[in-house]
Amino acid sequence: MHHPKITFIGAGSTIFVKNILGDVFHKPALKGADVALMDIDPVRLEESQIVVSKLMESAGATGNIHCYTDQKEALKGADFVVVAFQIGGYEPCTVIDFDVCKKHGLEQTIADTLGPGGIMRSLRTVPHLWQICEDMTDVCPQATMLNYVNPMAMNTWAMYEKYPHIKQVGLCHSVQGTAEELARDLDIDYSNLRYTCAGINHMAYYLTLEKKTESGEYVSIYPDLLEAYEMGQAPKPNIHGNPRCENIVRYEMFKKLGYFVTESSEHFAEYTPYFIKPNRPDLIERYKVPLDEYPKRCVEQIANWKKDLEAFKQAERIEQKESHEYASTIMNAIWTNTPSVIYGNVKNEGLIDNLPQGCCVEVACLVDANGIQPTAVGKLPNHLAALMQTNINVQTLLTEAILTENRDRIYHAAMLDPHTAAVLGIEEIYALVDELIEAQQDWLPNWI
């Protein structure tokens, strides 16, 4: 019996690999999958091999595991390609993104999706994603790429434009993750929720969000969420145990817009011009905005990983509960022709009428042996589409910059970023971009 081959590019992200493969090996049809782990860091690669080997044995997985530092070799014959890496790493590039912006008076929270941090991350990342597409074209042209690399919209858009023949989908956990959070805020069972959601990555909205009643009918939980927020009963403490990240920004935007957004408050605060302003500590306090959150998180994760690794090395077995990531669902649906629905980031080809055609949108997708088939949404509420467009402007110009090797468009993308434009003048934006490029030239393509 033929079994699938799953290749991980960026397999040094051991915890992520463990979580995804833990899901995979819960699927009976995928227990025999062969696994190819690829990373440029041989030490991290060896660590992942130790963990994955124990995971496979514990799960009763029967496939083979091989490790590679050569990307093309790892991709040969792959059926599924999972991509998860960060070019430039926390040190030095993420530190540079935050330090240089702060020097110029621009505070950030996460800086991986929009703004100068997201722009620089995409400039560092897209050439490497393109090389994966190039290698897939040569050695596994029918494989499906499951891309987890941020900034999701810009990266996915750039791949669709240059390699339209590659089967790919951008994956995030914010849609299903936020729905779980909201169910928790109301003390209701997540399995009793149903919803429709659409927009762009990190700024999609629940167009409907309903719970099943005892009579079997579905009713909107939006009134309940508003009441719980007004009564101080929601949001509950951070679901991940992070005391710095309170969910105030999203609830306040929900009150104003009438729809709940999918990405976290710490993310959303820097996608808009409303929450982080110079000399306005009152806004930071009122909306509980965690400045410099991502660097703090990275330091904690690195420390925790060292502890976890030692525990994994000592453990005889490694058990993994199923997560809410979509990767295993997609693989199982394609491999077994079992229809499933996921939310994916795909090219807007007649999917959302009042967002630009060709941009990257996040919508429900049917998945079966025919692959990933996005569903048409139609027209979004105009105020939601208008807010998304402020982010798409940045994505449009940065994608054009990369595709046409036009350095001017990098500045234009930064000029149109809502948060950056609300804080800095034009010349200050140009100076900021120049310094970021100078500081990261070793990780950027030559044309920049």
Side-chain angles (χ1 to χ4, degrees):
M1 180 180 178
H2 179 52
H3 296 289
K5 176 181 177 180
I6 303 168
T7 296
F8 279 83
I9 305 297
S13 304
T14 308
I15 296 298
F16 178 76
V17 173
K18 178 180 75 74
N19 291 344
I20 295 297
L21 284 180
D23 292 346
V24 165
F25 297 139
H26 278 283
K27 309 290 187 187
L30 303 179
K31 280 186 179 289
D34 291 327
V35 176
L37 304 177
M38 182 272 157
D39 202 277
I40 60 172
D41 185 335
V43 174
R44 294 294 298 271
L45 192 59
E46 183 180 0
E47 293 170 352
S48 290
Q49 183 179 24
I50 293 170
V51 172
V52 172
S53 295
K54 290 184 178 181
L55 176 68
M56 293 178 74
E57 184 176 350
S58 302
T62 58
N64 298 309
I65 176 173
H66 298 284
C67 294
Y68 302 86
T69 53
D70 183 284
Q71 179 173 283
K72 199 166 188 176
E73 283 296 314
L75 287 168
K76 282 184 178 177
D79 297 289
F80 303 101
V81 179
V82 183
V83 183
F85 57 75
Q86 182 180 345
I87 301 300
Y90 163 62
E91 290 182 314
C93 285
T94 293
V95 172
I96 291 171
D97 287 341
F98 274 84
D99 287 352
V100 171
C101 286
K102 185 174 292 189
K103 172 185 171 184
H104 287 261
L106 188 72
E107 299 274 13
Q108 299 175 108
T109 53
I110 305 294
D112 71 351
T113 297
L114 213 68
I119 287 169
M120 295 306 297
R121 187 179 283 227
S122 192
L123 291 172
R124 298 192 300 264
T125 303
V126 167
H128 297 271
L129 291 171
W130 278 350
Q131 187 57 58
I132 294 172
C133 292
E134 191 73 30
D135 290 345
M136 287 177 65
T137 301
D138 288 345
V139 299
C140 58
Q142 297 304 312
T144 300
M145 178 196 288
L146 311 180
N147 174 38
Y148 279 93
V149 182
N150 280 323
M152 181 61 64
M154 291 188 272
N155 292 344
T156 302
W157 192 343
M159 285 193 288
Y160 272 120
E161 288 297 319
K162 189 160 184 175
Y163 293 91
H165 59 281
I166 292 292
K167 301 173 185 176
Q168 59 143 326
V169 63
L171 295 176
C172 184
H173 49 247
S174 60
V175 174
Q176 66 273 40
T178 293
E180 289 182 12
E181 285 185 67
L182 296 179
R184 176 174 171 264
D185 281 351
L186 294 179
D187 295 313
I188 58 180
D189 188 342
Y190 170 69
S191 66
N192 286 330
L193 288 187
R194 74 175 184 185
Y195 50 81
T196 56
C197 189
I200 60 175
N201 183 238
H202 287 188
M203 198 184 278
Y205 287 85
Y206 297 97
L207 305 178
T208 64
L209 182 57
E210 301 171 315
K211 67 178 179 182
K212 190 175 185 179
T213 65
E214 291 184 0
S215 65
E217 297 178 310
Y218 281 89
V219 297
S220 174
I221 67 169
Y222 273 165
D224 297 339
L225 286 171
L226 282 173
E227 181 180 5
Y229 184 56
E230 294 297 339
M231 297 291 290
Q233 297 167 355
K236 284 187 166 59
N238 185 276
I239 195 169
H240 304 294
N242 184 341
R244 295 185 301 267
C245 295
E246 302 180 47
N247 209 9
I248 305 301
V249 167
R250 286 198 290 177
Y251 268 95
E252 285 295 326
M253 291 300 292
F254 171 45
K255 283 175 60 179
K256 304 298 189 293
L257 301 177
Y259 297 86
F260 210 94
V261 74
T262 53
E263 193 44 78
S264 67
S265 285
E266 58 268 26
H267 273 277
F268 194 82
E270 64 181 9
Y271 303 157
T272 58
Y274 314 122
F275 302 101
I276 309 172
K277 294 177 179 290
N279 304 314
R280 292 297 305 274
D282 59 306
L283 295 177
I284 302 301
E285 174 58 29
R286 177 179 177 182
Y287 298 111
K288 309 299 182 186
V289 179
L291 299 176
D292 300 324
E293 170 60 24
Y294 187 64
K296 295 173 185 174
R297 205 174 285 180
C298 288
V299 171
E300 292 168 354
Q301 288 173 346
I302 291 168
N304 290 336
W305 164 239
K306 291 178 180 178
K307 297 177 186 176
D308 290 343
L309 179 61
E310 289 307 311
F312 289 142
K313 286 181 177 178
Q314 299 298 322
E316 290 187 12
R317 296 174 59 85
I318 297 178
E319 309 285 351
Q320 180 65 35
K321 295 180 180 179
E322 279 195 270
S323 76
H324 58 206
E325 300 288 357
Y326 288 132
S328 65
T329 300
I330 293 171
M331 294 180 198
N332 188 68
I334 292 175
W335 194 254
T336 66
N337 197 26
T338 303
S340 298
V341 175
I342 60 102
Y343 276 84
N345 291 273
V346 295
K347 187 174 183 178
N348 187 23
E349 295 179 303
L351 302 176
I352 299 180
D353 295 341
N354 51 343
L355 293 183
Q357 295 302 297
C359 77
C360 182
V361 295
E362 191 166 58
V363 297
C365 302
L366 170 67
V367 190
D368 58 19
N370 293 309
I372 295 158
Q373 304 147 77
T375 61
V377 175
K379 184 180 179 182
L380 297 175
N382 281 329
H383 64 304
L384 302 184
L387 192 57
M388 293 173 201
Q389 186 62 55
T390 66
N391 285 217
I392 294 171
N393 291 337
V394 180
Q395 298 163 7
T396 301
L397 292 167
L398 200 279
T399 303
E400 181 182 339
I402 296 171
L403 288 166
T404 63
E405 300 188 356
N406 184 338
R407 179 165 166 152
D408 287 341
R409 292 291 181 270
I410 301 173
Y411 301 103
H412 298 158
M415 285 170 59
L416 285 174
D417 175 62
H419 173 44
T420 305
V423 174
L424 302 179
I426 296 175
E427 297 303 330
E428 293 168 328
I429 294 172
Y430 269 67
L432 167 58
V433 171
D434 281 337
E435 187 165 344
L436 284 169
I437 289 173
E438 176 65 26
Q440 298 186 26
Q441 56 185 309
D442 291 344
W443 290 271
L444 298 173
N446 291 332
W447 64 265
I448 299 177

